[in-house]
Amino acid sequence: MSPPPARIARRTELTVMALCFAVIVFDGYDLIVYGATLPGLLEYEDWGLTKTEAGAIGSYALIGMLAGALVAGAVTDLIGRRRVLMIGVTWFSIAMIGCALAPSPTWFGACRLLAGLGLGGVMPTAVALTAEYSRADRRSLNNAIMFSGYSVGGVLAAVLTMNLMPDHGFRVMYWTGAFPLLLVPVLWRLLPESASFLAARGRHAAEARAAARPAASGPSRGHLAELFERRHLLPALLFALTSFLGLLLVYGLNTWLPQIMKSAGYPLSGSLLFLVVMNAGAVFGTILVAPLGDRLGMKPVTGAAFLTAAVSITLLSQTTAEPVMYALVAVAGFGTVGTQIMVNAYVAMHFPAQVRATALGWTLGIGRLGAILGPTFGGYLLAAEVDVSWNFYAFAIPAAAGAALVLFLPAKEKAAIPAEAGVTMPA
């Protein structure tokens, strides 16, 4: 006797979420490992990296992510989300091998750029698959759990760096980044294809029945011109600026926090532990707070999260007891990564169906410019050798500006997130 369709659907939902979570863990590892290894890279005499050059290299992967997301969006309709995900994982894993073998900073930076192409295609694809295979009343929670893999990857990168880099150098951390290649056969065997892609190819009926999924329509194709009509123009601009500030914080701090703490007098192991704590705070804080957005509305929750980041980062500028510092860093982790997750959900809930996909693309596109700027901004800041407290103020100010911008965002969401718009990723 075959199991009931509801049980099959639930099993498929959990399988997709678990596999996408695993992919995002490695995605987060590959992005955050650069910040974890940065103190070692700066001390590597054969390369003689300056802080300004290191900041620029930190932005290369994010430039690649911007291009990768565009490429993935263009080819998804041709080959499907499942294949895009597997190609992206293979691509960034091979690029990490290139980073491990790089003979010079130029080659290393080029490989980071190439890794970004794969990483950029993986993120939106994993989120879209998770949303599509999640039941409506669990969609936001499933995406929050799935994308917490990004911060789990950050924790993994910092912990492994603490234990491996002192004895084996920074290259071993990039060799470790090739392990996702072992995940590709598992994805091939267990990950189902997007129901909307199968429908477009005329294969939906048989294969969707196997997954016990209802037919899913593709995202609505709004137009940029319609988004910029008078009624949508101001919210579109405000959401884009908010995302810009949010991603500047996420990628700026994940790149430079260990080096900032090292400059503040902490040893390498202690400075890396702060990176562990920040990403752990992002995991637990986001999962705990995400349901409040549905109950209280996205505006107060998003504004409070930005404000939390601003206050906690400002307080980090004051030397205090070490346990308090770790607590503040954990809160800052939620206030950065968690805030951006809520910004994206807020966009999807505000705009009507005909422009929702365009609004998300516009918001994340402008936001990725902040992601690119974050590492470079941190590099110039540290190269200027300003007072240590300004290393924190410089990130607290964008967080405070984000909280101020949220005050001007629409107070009420115009529509609930449908199946195709359950996007809650940082970008």
Side-chain angles (χ1 to χ4, degrees):
M1 180 178 178
S2 59
R7 186 179 299 176
I8 296 174
R10 178 60 174 158
R11 185 189 306 158
T12 304
E13 177 183 357
L14 293 174
T15 298
V16 171
M17 184 172 68
L19 290 173
C20 290
F21 173 85
V23 169
I24 295 299
V25 167
F26 289 118
D27 193 291
Y29 175 93
D30 286 5
L31 280 169
I32 297 174
V33 74
Y34 181 73
T37 58
L38 193 50
L41 287 166
L42 289 170
E43 293 173 359
Y44 188 53
E45 294 181 359
D46 290 357
W47 285 4
L49 271 181
T50 67
K51 291 172 182 175
T52 302
E53 291 168 340
I57 290 174
S59 294
Y60 292 165
L62 302 165
I63 294 171
M65 284 182 68
L66 177 58
L70 295 173
V71 172
V75 303
T76 292
D77 291 338
L78 298 176
I79 65 174
R81 286 174 179 161
R82 178 171 171 268
R83 286 189 175 89
V84 166
L85 199 67
M86 290 188 292
I87 291 170
V89 170
T90 303
W91 183 283
F92 72 64
S93 300
I94 292 173
M96 289 292 281
I97 295 175
C99 291
L101 294 171
S104 68
T106 301
W107 280 101
F108 183 84
C111 289
R112 289 297 291 170
L113 178 67
L114 290 172
L117 291 172
L119 296 168
V122 158
M123 279 192 174
T125 306
V127 173
L129 279 170
T130 300
E132 185 170 342
Y133 278 93
S134 294
R135 208 174 74 183
D137 60 346
R138 286 193 290 258
R139 190 164 297 122
S140 295
L141 179 60
N142 284 356
N143 258 317
I145 293 172
M146 185 279 297
F147 204 82
S148 70
Y150 171 85
S151 295
V152 172
V155 170
L156 184 64
V159 169
L160 289 178
T161 301
M162 289 168 60
N163 289 280
L164 297 178
M165 194 170 74
D167 294 329
H168 303 286
F170 70 88
R171 294 184 188 274
V172 69
M173 301 308 302
Y174 294 91
W175 280 114
T176 305
F179 273 90
L181 287 171
L182 301 176
L183 183 62
V184 175
V186 181
L187 295 173
W188 178 266
R189 176 70 179 85
L190 298 178
L191 186 68
E193 181 53 272
S194 160
S196 58
F197 174 76
L198 295 175
R201 292 301 176 106
R203 293 181 290 156
H204 173 73
E207 296 196 37
R209 276 199 301 271
R213 291 291 305 163
S217 59
S220 57
R221 302 289 183 182
H223 297 287
L224 199 59
E226 187 176 355
L227 180 65
F228 287 158
E229 288 179 357
R230 184 174 179 179
R231 60 183 175 141
H232 297 313
L233 177 59
L234 184 58
L237 292 174
L238 290 173
F239 277 121
L241 288 173
T242 304
S243 180
F244 176 92
L245 293 170
L247 288 173
L248 185 153
L249 291 169
V250 170
Y251 289 103
L253 285 173
N254 269 311
T255 299
W256 284 108
L257 182 63
Q259 188 63 31
I260 289 173
M261 301 312 293
K262 195 166 179 286
S263 299
Y266 289 88
L268 177 61
S269 59
S271 64
L272 287 169
L273 188 55
F274 279 104
L275 191 61
V276 173
V277 171
M278 186 177 82
N279 282 284
V283 172
F284 293 109
T286 301
I287 293 174
L288 288 173
V289 175
L292 294 178
D294 294 325
R295 297 178 185 178
L296 305 178
M298 296 305 300
K299 181 170 182 172
V301 174
T302 304
F306 259 126
L307 191 59
T308 297
V311 172
S312 59
I313 295 171
T314 299
L315 292 175
L316 282 170
S317 66
Q318 309 300 316
T319 303
T320 185
E322 200 165 287
V324 176
M325 295 289 280
Y326 284 123
L328 290 171
V329 167
V331 172
F334 156 69
T336 52
V337 177
T339 298
Q340 185 58 35
I341 288 174
M342 287 182 281
V343 168
N344 295 337
Y346 195 171
V347 172
M349 293 173 72
H350 170 74
F351 288 96
Q354 65 269 23
V355 294
R356 184 175 290 120
T358 304
L360 281 164
W362 159 258
T363 301
L364 292 173
I366 298 299
R368 286 190 184 101
L369 297 178
I372 292 167
L373 177 63
T376 303
F377 171 63
Y380 278 112
L381 190 69
L382 285 167
E385 297 184 351
V386 296
D387 185 79
V388 172
S389 61
W390 275 100
N391 292 327
F392 298 105
Y393 296 152
F395 287 106
I397 291 170
L405 274 174
V406 172
L407 294 175
F408 297 96
L409 290 174
K412 294 182 179 179
E413 295 81 30
K414 294 183 179 178
I417 302 177
E420 67 274 10
V423 181
T424 56
M425 52 174 278

